[in-house]
Amino acid sequence: MPLKESAAAPPPAALAGERVVALSAVRRLVAERADPLLGRCRYAADLGTRRVLQPILVARRGESFDAVIENALPQPTTVHFHGLTLPEAADGAGFDPIAPGARKHVRFEVKNRSGLYWFHPHPHGFTAEQVHAGLTGLLVVTDEDDDALDAALALAPGNRLALAVADARVVGGAMRPYAPTVEDCLHGWLGNRALVNGQLDTRWVVAPGWVRLQILNACNARGLLVAFRDGETLVTFHLLGTDGGLLAAPRELERVFLYTGERVDIGIDLAGRRALEAVSLEFDPRHHTQGAAPRHRHPARERYAPLAAETVCESTSGGAAEDRLADGAGLPLFALRVEGPPARTISPLPSRLSALAQAAAGAEAATRRMRLDFDERAGFLIDQTPYRADEIAFSVARGTREVWEIKNSPISMPHPMHLHGFGFRVLRRQGTYGGARRLATEPGGRFPTDLGVKDTVLLWPNETVWLAMDFTLPQDAAFRGAQRFMFHCHNLEHEDGMMMRNFSVL
Ligand code: C2O
Ligand code: CU
Ligand code: CU
């Protein structure tokens, strides 16, 4: 008779699966190598009674994580909980990496709204390699709004999926290890096949009725234009939520941009369908960078072995071209097969999903301006300044509201910019290129995904975005004193390539 795992709110009934584990039940979270030859890695959650590989963690808002994080990799690592509001000590942002073979006790409470969050390594200089190796975990947070939505959609067990979409280079059935060229370090590492929750060619069998998909773009660098196809027709879907939870009201769409680090929550009515294919549609990826490819070196890297048998960011040759699919090229992602007796009635989609207010700046909010540039020697930078772990770019007093005006250079490429610790709102966009602007159907030149709470926002080349920031932190003792956070590009080659700044909340 198995011992009882610690009491936690049960996961949503529709989110079935052996890998679904309560966050509060985890005693030990291990980052380990699964395959030293190719360098594939995984997370293992030790629950005391059993061990779950590549777990999908589920937490009720207000529940806690209290576990030992163990580094069984040959490199330093951290576990960063992307999207959660955490104190510096628990954020795993890379200020305090865990050495190979070492461990660290981490404790925190989930303060965030329901939504799909995720966790991944963040040791500066090693992030891209470790995430690419498979160290990507999902965290589904639930609350009353989330329960109400599942109930309204009358989701059948298995009709709610949490999906991390990544890409890998597969040649002759084998996955290529991470060994980026200078070209890859500039544009980001692109694969040629989609991996969903770590697997190639994934398909799920779902029941008729509604299906709810919470999707993360976990690629190192590839942008996705997500759509669903039934044969040749594009199937309309409903955008329910974004990075930081549910929208106020659903939006009906045919396609949605999803850049690295971003999440979407999508509802699809399967009535009359037998199968659906999720794809990334072809689009103009706007890589407008010119000049020499920069070569960056991480002194820390030289002291540790790569995860696979090849070195990182050192090879100068172009590499094989057939193992790389251009950014913006069409790519099949995963498939759904619908099986079972058709639902007699399909429940209507609720017109209200959450009490989320419209984005507003706040009267007292001062504007902070930032520029994203390209430097021929240093690569992509924020305000011309390469990342330094010991630098604090600026400080804000807790509770302060600001408007961030971020401008991307015209001679650049798309940068999905991510802020640690705080969800923010998109106020306005300007300078969006024509192809994408057609999808910017909301007031202020915004995309439908800009209507939700965001922690990662895409900037196309030449685009300016205005964001409403609110640096309120919880009152708990854990947040006392100055807290450092990061702001960086979530193209992981850019992040490791110094496109990152620290700031401090006092
Ligand atoms: Cu998803 Cu600073 O990271
Ligand atoms: Cu993050
Ligand atoms: Cu970037």
Side-chain angles (χ1 to χ4, degrees):
M1 170 124 190
L3 290 167
K4 197 171 161 290
E5 284 163 14
S6 75
L15 185 73
E18 284 173 359
R19 287 165 52 186
V20 175
V21 162
L23 177 78
S24 58
V26 178
R27 295 284 147 263
R28 234 161 36 106
L29 186 64
V30 186
E32 62 188 24
R33 230 163 18 167
D35 169 1
L37 202 68
L38 297 177
R40 302 305 296 173
C41 298
R42 65 189 175 202
Y43 284 117
D46 180 352
L47 313 184
T49 52
R50 63 197 171 105
R51 194 173 140 92
V52 179
L53 299 178
Q54 296 291 60
I56 295 176
L57 302 180
V58 181
R60 192 78 180 166
R61 184 178 193 173
E63 274 180 10
S64 294
F65 178 81
D66 185 349
V68 170
I69 295 177
E70 200 174 298
N71 180 7
L73 305 175
Q75 301 176 345
T77 197
T78 71
V79 178
H80 169 61
F81 287 84
H82 179 131
L84 294 190
T85 300
L86 298 180
E88 181 183 320
D91 191 44
F95 295 117
D96 185 20
I98 308 169
R103 51 182 66 196
K104 184 182 174 187
H105 194 157
V106 173
R107 217 176 271 129
F108 63 80
E109 186 188 316
V110 176
K111 305 281 187 188
N112 295 69
R113 305 168 75 220
S114 58
L116 180 65
Y117 300 88
W118 62 300
F119 53 101
H120 63 79
H122 215 298
H124 187 58
F126 301 92
T127 300
E129 182 184 6
Q130 292 183 11
V131 172
H132 175 265
L135 291 170
T136 294
L138 296 173
L139 168 63
V140 177
V141 176
T142 65
D143 61 10
E144 289 79 16
D145 289 339
D146 185 81
D147 298 347
L149 175 59
D150 278 11
L153 299 179
L155 291 181
N159 273 34
R160 176 169 174 177
L161 298 170
L163 306 170
V165 178
D167 62 344
R169 294 183 184 172
V170 180
V171 181
M175 225 180 278
R176 284 276 167 89
Y178 186 77
T181 61
V182 285
E183 182 74 8
D184 294 323
C185 289
L186 180 71
H187 292 280
W189 171 273
L190 298 164
N192 60 358
R193 298 273 299 279
L195 286 176
V196 180
N197 294 356
Q199 306 291 319
L200 291 165
D201 300 317
T202 50
R203 55 182 59 245
W204 276 268
V205 176
V206 292
W210 283 98
V211 68
R212 180 176 173 194
L213 308 174
Q214 290 178 287
I215 308 175
L216 157 72
N217 181 338
C219 299
N220 279 35
R222 177 179 299 281
L224 302 173
L225 180 55
V226 175
F228 298 89
R229 256 197 320 234
D230 182 354
E232 285 311 300
T233 30
L234 284 189
V235 173
T236 306
F237 60 87
H238 302 267
L239 180 72
L240 308 172
T242 57
D243 306 349
L246 295 171
L247 300 176
R251 277 280 184 287
E252 198 175 283
L253 300 177
E254 257 186 5
R255 62 196 78 199
V256 65
F257 278 115
L258 186 67
Y259 263 73
T260 52
E262 291 187 303
R263 287 87 73 204
V264 282
D265 196 335
I266 280 174
I268 309 175
D269 171 1
L270 298 173
R273 315 238 170 244
R274 311 275 300 274
L276 275 189
E277 191 191 14
V279 295
S280 182
L281 300 173
E282 195 177 327
F283 65 95
D284 175 356
R286 312 302 276 184
H287 286 226
H288 286 175
T289 314
Q290 291 164 359
R295 174 187 272 272
H296 53 268
R297 292 192 156 270
H298 299 281
R301 287 212 59 91
E302 281 145 31
R303 287 190 273 125
Y304 298 96
L307 296 172
E310 288 179 58
T311 45
V312 174
C313 278
E314 295 298 337
S315 105
T316 41
S317 72
E322 80 275 12
D323 59 4
R324 191 169 325 148
L325 188 68
D327 196 17
L331 180 70
L333 304 179
F334 59 91
L336 298 178
R337 210 175 63 233
V338 188
E339 274 180 14
R344 234 168 300 144
T345 54
I346 188 122
S347 2
L349 188 65
S351 56
R352 192 176 166 76
L353 302 174
S354 77
L356 187 66
Q358 286 212 18
E364 76 287 12
T367 300
R368 187 181 296 279
R369 296 189 170 79
M370 285 181 222
R371 288 184 163 270
L372 311 181
D373 303 290
F374 178 70
D375 178 289
E376 288 214 353
R377 275 159 308 128
F380 294 108
L381 301 176
I382 302 170
D383 287 335
Q384 304 285 0
T385 313
Y387 182 68
R388 271 185 44 195
D390 58 356
E391 183 223 39
I392 302 286
F394 55 87
S395 299
V396 296
R398 62 185 65 207
T400 305
R401 294 201 195 191
E402 293 188 346
V403 172
W404 283 17
E405 180 192 295
I406 309 172
K407 183 166 179 27
N408 192 4
S409 149
I411 303 176
S412 189
M413 55 176 281
H415 297 296
M417 301 303 295
H418 170 53
L419 179 74
H420 285 204
F422 302 89
F424 54 81
R425 307 295 301 277
V426 181
L427 296 168
R428 191 154 74 86
R429 284 179 185 266
Q430 207 172 68
T432 314
Y433 86 96
R437 201 165 52 229
R438 279 198 287 281
L439 304 184
T441 50
E442 306 298 328
R446 292 176 301 168
F447 296 97
T449 42
D450 290 336
L451 300 179
V453 174
K454 297 291 293 169
D455 55 54
T456 308
V457 64
L458 180 70
L459 274 100
W460 294 102
N462 194 44
E463 205 179 28
T464 305
V465 300
W466 286 266
L467 309 175
M469 299 289 180
D470 179 347
F471 292 102
T472 302
L473 282 174
Q475 302 287 322
D476 318 26
F479 288 91
R480 239 175 253 148
Q483 304 288 329
R484 283 179 299 173
F485 296 98
M486 289 173 170
F487 178 62
H488 63 83
C489 181
H490 221 289
N491 177 315
L492 297 181
E493 282 70 30
H494 295 179
E495 174 182 341
D496 275 343
M498 308 295 180
M499 195 176 187
M500 177 152 79
R501 306 291 307 269
N502 301 327
F503 67 99
S504 177
V505 178
L506 306 176

